Amino acid sequence: MVLRLLFSPVTGIAWIGEQLLERASTELDEKENLSKRLLALQLALDLGEISEEDYEVEEEELLLAIQAIEDEERANRLDA
């Protein structure tokens, strides 16, 4: 019981660290997936599978999503 009380702050800090790591990993995965989708979109345009108009619409959506993730990352760094 005494040991549990002594180690509970350490356990809490470790849990917080795990949560932060998981969040950062999720954001990186999300950004990486958006970048891959952007590359696939470019390939589809190059192969003539989609029109220039469709490409521009989807490209803008993907770029805005990537920018939103980068803005959130920047804001989190400033808060820390």
Side-chain angles (χ1 to χ4, degrees):
M1 178 68 166
V2 173
L3 288 176
R4 179 182 271 175
L5 290 174
L6 289 174
F7 288 113
S8 64
V10 173
T11 304
I13 292 171
W15 181 82
I16 290 171
E18 289 173 8
Q19 297 303 310
L20 291 172
L21 182 60
E22 184 177 321
R23 173 67 185 210
S25 178
T26 300
E27 287 178 2
L28 287 175
D29 289 345
E30 211 173 310
K31 189 174 174 183
E32 185 176 324
N33 286 336
L34 289 170
S35 295
K36 287 178 182 177
R37 286 177 52 194
L38 190 58
L39 288 173
L41 184 65
Q42 178 67 49
L43 182 60
L45 177 67
D46 292 344
L47 294 174
E49 295 175 357
I50 61 171
S51 69
E52 182 78 30
E53 294 164 349
D54 290 339
Y55 171 81
E56 289 175 0
V57 169
E58 290 187 48
E59 178 193 36
E60 184 174 357
E61 290 175 5
L62 291 170
L63 291 174
L64 287 173
I66 291 169
Q67 184 64 48
I69 291 171
E70 290 173 349
D71 290 345
E72 185 177 333
E73 289 172 352
R74 194 174 302 111
N76 288 339
R77 281 195 304 267
L78 292 176
D79 290 341

